[in-house]
């Protein structure tokens, strides 16, 4: 896969929950389909112009066309790089399903601190 056909996922490497998900995504995604960029170190220089604090607070991905998406669309784009999950991509691109998935994600973000603690204990 060429560099131009990859997406870039920006993730919080200080979050045990995030690290687990990224590890699973790394294992399952097609080889070379995703570049992963940990934005947790204070001196991280993300390869996009979105503030590091925003990248740490919500899941973001840069698509092959250079646009940056967040939340449900970023998740569905990333997980669609797993061959048997490619069907997820339209869910993140459709306005109605993306709206619903983003509301679920917003609820998850409220629970994330407690879930991070649990993931860190394992």
């Amino acid at each position: 896969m060429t560099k131009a056909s990859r997406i870039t996922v920006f993730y919080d490497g200080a979050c045990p929950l995030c690290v687990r998900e990224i590890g699973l995504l790394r294992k399952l995604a097609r080889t070379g389909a995703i570049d992963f960029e940990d934005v947790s170190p204070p001196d991280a220089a993300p390869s996009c112009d979105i503030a590091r604090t925003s990248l740490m607070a919500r899941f973001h991905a840069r698509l092959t066309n250079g646009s940056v998406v967040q939340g449900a669309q970023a998740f569905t784009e990333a997980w669609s790089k797993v061959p048997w999950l490619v069907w997820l991509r339209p869910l993140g691109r459709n306005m109605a399903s993306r709206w619903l998935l983003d509301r679920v994600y917003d609820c998850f973000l409220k629970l994330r601190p407690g879930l991070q603690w649990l993931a860190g204990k394992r």
Side-chain angles (χ1 to χ4, degrees):
M1 205 165 252
T2 66
K3 183 81 169 159
S5 64
R6 296 178 182 181
I7 67 169
T8 302
V9 164
F10 302 96
Y11 72 98
D12 178 357
C15 164
L17 195 59
C18 304
V19 169
R20 283 176 182 259
E21 181 176 3
I22 293 301
L24 182 60
L25 187 55
R26 280 183 200 266
K27 273 194 247 181
L28 297 176
R30 290 186 308 273
T31 304
I34 304 174
D35 290 323
F36 297 92
E37 191 167 334
D38 180 1
V39 296
S40 65
D43 60 344
S47 62
C48 77
D49 54 1
I50 294 175
R52 182 179 159 273
T53 53
S54 294
L55 293 172
M56 293 277 290
R58 195 167 178 86
F59 193 75
H60 288 74
R62 184 178 45 241
L63 305 181
T64 57
N65 67 4
S67 64
V68 177
V69 294
Q70 63 170 312
Q73 187 172 3
F75 278 109
T76 57
E77 293 289 340
W79 281 101
S80 73
K81 298 302 182 181
V82 175
W84 45 274
L85 292 176
V86 72
W87 60 270
L88 288 172
R89 184 179 293 132
L91 294 175
R93 291 183 177 180
N94 175 280
M95 188 182 288
S97 58
R98 185 175 63 232
W99 180 88
L100 180 61
L101 290 170
D102 273 330
R103 299 302 69 81
V104 171
Y105 182 54
D106 291 342
C107 290
F108 163 78
L109 288 175
K110 291 176 182 168
L111 299 173
R112 182 179 166 199
L115 295 172
Q116 285 176 319
W117 179 83
L118 283 173
K121 290 287 192 185
R122 297 186 83 214

